[in-house]
Amino acid sequence: MSLNPVPRWPLASMVLMALAGALAGGAVMAFVAMLLGALSGSWIAVGILLAVLGTLGALTGFAIVLLVLIRDRVTASEQRIRALLASVEQGSPPAESMAEDSAPPLSRPAPPPPAQVRTSGATADPPHRVAAPEQAITPPPRAPAAPSPFFRFLRRARAWLKGGNTIARVGVLVLFIGAALLAKYAAESGLFPLEVRLAAVGLLGIGLLGLGWWLRERHLGYALSLQGGGVAILYLTLYAAFRLFGLLPAGLAFMLMVVVALAAAVLAVAQNALVLAVIGFAGGFVAPLLTSSGGGSHIALFSYYTVLNLGVFAVAWFRAWRPLNLVGFLFTFGVSALWRGGGYSPADLVSTDGFLILFFLMYVAVALLFARRQNTRRMDYVSGTLVFGLPVVVFTLHGSLVADIEYGLAWSALAFAVFYLALALLLFRLKGQTWRLLAEAFAALGVIFASLTVPLALSGGATAAIWAVEGAGLLWLGARQSRRLARAFGVLLQVLAAGQLLHAMPDYLTPTIPVFNSLFMAAFGLAVAGYSSGLFLFRLGQARASYERGAAQVMLAWAIFWALFAGFADTGEYAPAHGEAGWLLLVPTLIIMLLAVLGKRLRWNASYLVAPLLGAVFVAIASGSLLAFPHPLDRGAWWGWPVLWLTFHGTLWWRDREDDVLLPGLTPWLHALGMWALALVLMPELAWRIDGALDGVWPVLGWGLVPAALLVLAARAPEYWPWRGHARAYRWQGGVPLGVVAACWLVWVNLASDGNAAPLPYWPLLNPLDISVALVMLCGIGWWWATAERYRLRGVPVLVALTFLWLSAALVRALHHELGTPLDAAGMVQSTTVQMALSLFWALLGLAAMISATRRGWRSVWILGVALLGVVVVKLFLIDMAGTETLARIVSFLGVGLILLVVGYFSPLPPRAKESA
């Protein structure tokens, strides 16, 4: 097994290299200390800074180099251990892996090959392919973890230290410090004039440049180190001659620095030396700052920066040097920002903004050249700082200049949007798939600036509407091009549109005209965009990401919410005073219709399959809400609710024609819900209509007759839709609640109503109340007989109880209308007439039940009759005996006694026969 050996430095070498690192670190920090001290103008400060920063740099350099070397040793040890483990797994001797790098491998005699059985036409496997009898299965090695930021820094420090000529680099720094110390000593001693000393330092820099150029073909790394040091010495010499000692005028110092910068750029391109180019251009950008006296022209400054940026552009034509591009970008727009914050005045708007736009176009071109210099067939990397950071910085600076101009920011954002969209389109057409990444980045910037134009120019409602539609467009584009990021941004833009609408609604969005107002258009735009987005996501099919599986349904719900919001907001503001309920009910009706129709036309099953379920929710809420009115069909609901109810049943008709429906188990309950809603609205509506024409018992009759009629309709089950195919649902799910309502009405009306039939006379059992009770009971019996074929007898006790209650109440009402007996509970208990009549009537009922049971063999009916007679006897002694009217009490006892005698003669014992069905 072969490995790339990692050098293992001896201890003495490690110490020496760490000392070299300490020397380099101290030299770098000493250079920084000299610059800071020179700026302060005090040699004492220079000495203090040299001592402090030099020591700190030496310690840092020593630690960095030592850590890098220790890591080398650890890496070598890890490689040897891996080699040992691999050799053990393969069955090879580990001695070779454990041998020292300098020692030759030990030769071992080859083991004799194992005995092989030869067959005709076959050869034995080579010895190294014979597998061991048992071999442990080792798990695959884990991927190495990503290094921490600290180790990345150490790696870069090590690369810089070992890259090129390390000794030459350290030597340049030491020579630079030595030249500075020599100049200091000469200045303190007064040996030479100041001009001569500075000229000597400058000649030293030129000499380093010349020597580096002469050595470029033999020792390129060494030569570039010399040239970089020479450029740095020339910059520092010119700066000291101008700023510290005043020997050079500003113009001359500036021109000389420009010459140095151009020379460094030319040398860098000629030798493909990025570091030299960075040093040269950085010095060129800093030159006007170093030579400025505070009273220069911004036009001259930005003109000079234009020339430098043309140089950056020229270098970018030949080299894809991203650090150099970043240096130019940072200096150009950093200085521009400083100028905007300090020296700018409104009179400089045209010239300042003109240079800003020029710089913007230059660095867009630099970004294009950087992409062009990538020698790949398909570009997979763009300069994020230039592509995305550039427009942000430029638009911010430009916006600060034109902020006081009306719609200045809006027009600026629109101009940026047009520029980037046009550039993206041009790249798509000229470069195709090769530059697709950069073109999509420009297109995204164009969309962002177009989105930004809207709130800067329009109201909150218009902004929300345009953002919503734009978000749907982005989602469509992402669906067409299989771009997840574009789809996510489209959804995000719609959420931002909703937030903008809600934010602007309290202050700015006041409806002025129906439909064509900012509030309705914004909410309706959100609804349309949401529905379109859900449709686009649905049509993606299996191309959807895992997190997008339910996104189509979410966007559909989003669209429904905003459609309701738009409709209710506009209707509540503009509906007629006495017809608002009808218009409010029209909103969910239209939404249900659109969901069903559009879903069918567009073949989006979620849209039309959810329509019946949504219709059921709307019908239930609407029917319950209408009970708050004086009557349900008030304020326009007389036409709004029937339209909603019929639309709901239309969606049920469509649902029945589909093979695959949503929540099929709810189908019977959906049909039953329509029946319940109809009863819930018709019962109070019919009572209100009758109450307006007649008094007395008439209004309460509708509460019992409506469910009775619906029970008959459910029991009859016509042979056409919706009963066809759903007869059981209407009889059971729809009929049972209505049967309970009818039974409750029977109990309530017999206990609480006096049966006043005005303007008709009251006839016992032939009055409106008793006739209605009889009809309701007949309808209930017919429904139960048709529905519960297997459970018919289980309803007999309920029927007997309701019949007993009805006949007893009819007797009490007849006594009230004929004899004036009371109807309240206390009065009836104290009335001996009522109690006498009830005792005789109940005794006769018991007699009839027992005699009929004896003849037909109904043992349970006989027991029921005996129980009733027992109740009558107990009632005689507890209630009737307390009466003050002696005649009535006597009649009660005599009548009940005679009845008991008749029962004792005809039916003294329960029948023996079995109960018949």
Side-chain angles (χ1 to χ4, degrees), residues 1-29:
M1 169 174 188
S2 62
L3 293 172
N4 294 326
V6 176
R8 290 172 290 161
W9 303 97
L11 182 60
S13 300
M14 291 177 60
V15 173
L16 290 177
M17 294 188 69
L19 292 176
L23 180 62
V28 172
M29 298 306 294

Side-chain angles (χ1 to χ4, degrees), residues 500-533:
Q500 173 66 20
L501 174 60
L502 297 177
H503 173 72
M505 186 170 59
D507 300 327
Y508 305 107
L509 300 183
T510 302
T512 53
I513 57 175
V515 179
F516 298 101
N517 58 78
S518 57
L519 179 59
F520 178 84
M521 297 304 294
F524 184 71
L526 281 166
V528 173
Y531 188 88
S532 303
S533 301

Side-chain angles (χ1 to χ4, degrees), residues 153-177:
F153 171 75
L154 291 181
R155 184 180 298 173
R156 292 181 180 178
R158 176 190 175 190
W160 179 86
L161 188 64
K162 292 186 176 182
N165 195 323
T166 305
I167 298 177
R169 293 180 178 181
V170 176
V172 168
L173 292 176
V174 173
L175 183 62
F176 181 81
I177 296 173

Side-chain angles (χ1 to χ4, degrees), residues 839-878:
S839 297
L840 294 175
F841 178 65
W842 291 355
L844 290 173
L845 288 179
L847 172 64
M850 295 176 68
I851 292 176
S852 301
T854 300
R855 292 182 177 181
R856 296 182 177 272
W858 293 344
R859 187 179 181 87
S860 58
V861 177
W862 188 91
I863 294 174
L864 182 63
V866 169
L868 183 57
L869 288 177
V871 171
V872 171
V873 172
V874 173
K875 175 179 171 295
L876 286 175
F877 287 96
L878 294 180

Side-chain angles (χ1 to χ4, degrees), residues 130-285:
V130 177
E134 293 184 1
Q135 189 172 5
I137 300 176
T138 58
R142 297 188 205 172
S148 64
F150 176 72
F151 280 106
R152 286 200 298 268
F153 171 75
L154 291 181
R155 184 180 298 173
R156 292 181 180 178
R158 176 190 175 190
W160 179 86
L161 188 64
K162 292 186 176 182
N165 195 323
T166 305
I167 298 177
R169 293 180 178 181
V170 176
V172 168
L173 292 176
V174 173
L175 183 62
F176 181 81
I177 296 173
L181 294 176
L182 177 63
K184 175 185 176 184
Y185 174 77
E188 292 177 347
S189 303
L191 298 178
F192 300 100
L194 181 60
E195 293 84 353
V196 175
R197 296 196 297 269
L198 291 176
V201 175
L203 289 176
L204 175 62
I206 295 175
L208 290 177
L209 276 175
L211 181 60
W213 177 258
W214 183 59
L215 295 175
R216 71 186 187 280
E217 295 182 354
R218 285 177 287 180
H219 302 285
L220 181 60
Y222 181 82
L224 292 178
S225 300
L226 294 178
Q227 293 176 48
V231 171
I233 290 175
L234 287 176
Y235 273 128
L236 188 61
T237 302
L238 292 174
Y239 171 75
F242 166 71
R243 176 64 64 188
L244 300 181
F245 306 113
L247 297 179
L248 291 178
L252 180 59
F254 175 72
M255 293 302 298
L256 290 176
M257 287 187 177
V258 171
V259 171
V260 173
L262 293 178
V266 172
L267 290 174
V269 174
Q271 301 172 91
N272 196 21
L274 172 61
V275 176
L276 194 59
V278 170
I279 294 175
F281 276 98
F285 281 107

Side-chain angles (χ1 to χ4, degrees), residues 297-616:
S297 169
H298 72 282
I299 296 180
L301 173 66
F302 291 146
S303 298
Y304 167 68
Y305 272 16
T306 302
V307 175
L308 283 183
N309 285 319
L310 286 175
V312 173
F313 176 83
V315 173
W317 187 278
F318 299 99
R319 299 286 186 267
W321 285 346
R322 184 171 179 266
L324 179 61
N325 299 337
L326 295 181
V327 167
F329 170 77
L330 294 176
F331 274 108
T332 299
F333 294 102
V335 172
S336 300
L338 292 176
W339 160 252
R340 174 64 183 90
Y344 173 77
S345 64
D348 302 327
L349 172 62
V350 176
S351 57
T352 304
D353 207 28
F355 277 111
L356 185 64
I357 295 173
L358 178 61
F359 294 154
F360 168 72
L361 295 176
M362 282 183 172
Y363 278 94
V364 170
V366 168
L368 294 173
L369 289 177
F370 179 79
R372 172 178 170 268
R373 294 302 302 175
Q374 295 187 51
N375 297 322
T376 56
R377 293 183 179 179
R378 183 183 180 91
M379 183 179 59
D380 55 359
Y381 176 79
V382 295
S383 178
T385 304
L386 294 183
V387 173
F388 297 103
L390 175 65
V392 173
V393 173
V394 174
F395 186 78
T396 302
L397 292 174
H398 175 76
S400 68
L401 298 177
V402 301
D404 296 333
I405 302 176
E406 186 178 7
Y407 296 114
L409 290 175
W411 285 109
S412 302
L414 180 61
F416 272 79
V418 172
F419 172 78
Y420 275 111
L421 290 175
L423 187 58
L425 181 61
L426 184 64
L427 291 180
F428 270 122
R429 290 189 175 181
L430 295 181
K431 299 296 183 178
Q433 295 295 326
T434 307
W435 286 35
R436 180 171 181 175
L437 181 61
L438 185 61
E440 289 182 349
F442 286 153
L445 288 171
V447 170
I448 292 173
F449 278 109
S451 304
L452 191 60
T453 304
V454 178
L456 294 175
L458 303 176
S459 64
T463 300
I466 294 176
W467 276 4
V469 176
E470 185 179 356
L474 274 178
L475 198 147
W476 170 80
L477 187 63
R480 288 292 301 271
Q481 298 182 354
S482 299
R483 296 290 178 180
R484 298 182 181 180
L485 184 60
R487 299 198 295 267
F489 187 74
V491 174
L492 176 62
L493 197 57
Q494 294 181 56
V495 174
L496 293 177
Q500 173 66 20
L501 174 60
L502 297 177
H503 173 72
M505 186 170 59
D507 300 327
Y508 305 107
L509 300 183
T510 302
T512 53
I513 57 175
V515 179
F516 298 101
N517 58 78
S518 57
L519 179 59
F520 178 84
M521 297 304 294
F524 184 71
L526 281 166
V528 173
Y531 188 88
S532 303
S533 301
L535 179 62
F536 299 150
L537 290 171
F538 164 73
R539 289 182 174 177
L540 275 177
Q542 297 300 322
R544 290 192 299 264
S546 58
Y547 57 85
E548 293 177 328
R549 294 303 178 191
Q553 290 77 8
V554 173
M555 296 308 298
L556 179 61
W558 173 271
I560 294 171
F561 170 80
W562 286 110
L564 289 171
F565 181 89
F568 288 153
D570 214 55
T571 304
E573 187 71 23
Y574 297 109
H578 300 289
E580 66 273 14
W583 292 101
L584 288 172
L585 291 172
L586 184 62
V587 172
T589 302
L590 293 176
I591 291 175
I592 296 170
M593 293 175 62
L594 288 174
L595 287 174
V597 174
L598 291 178
K600 278 289 187 180
R601 294 291 300 273
L602 300 174
R603 297 181 180 178
W604 186 12
N605 54 357
S607 178
Y608 65 81
L609 291 180
V610 80
L613 304 179
L614 195 63

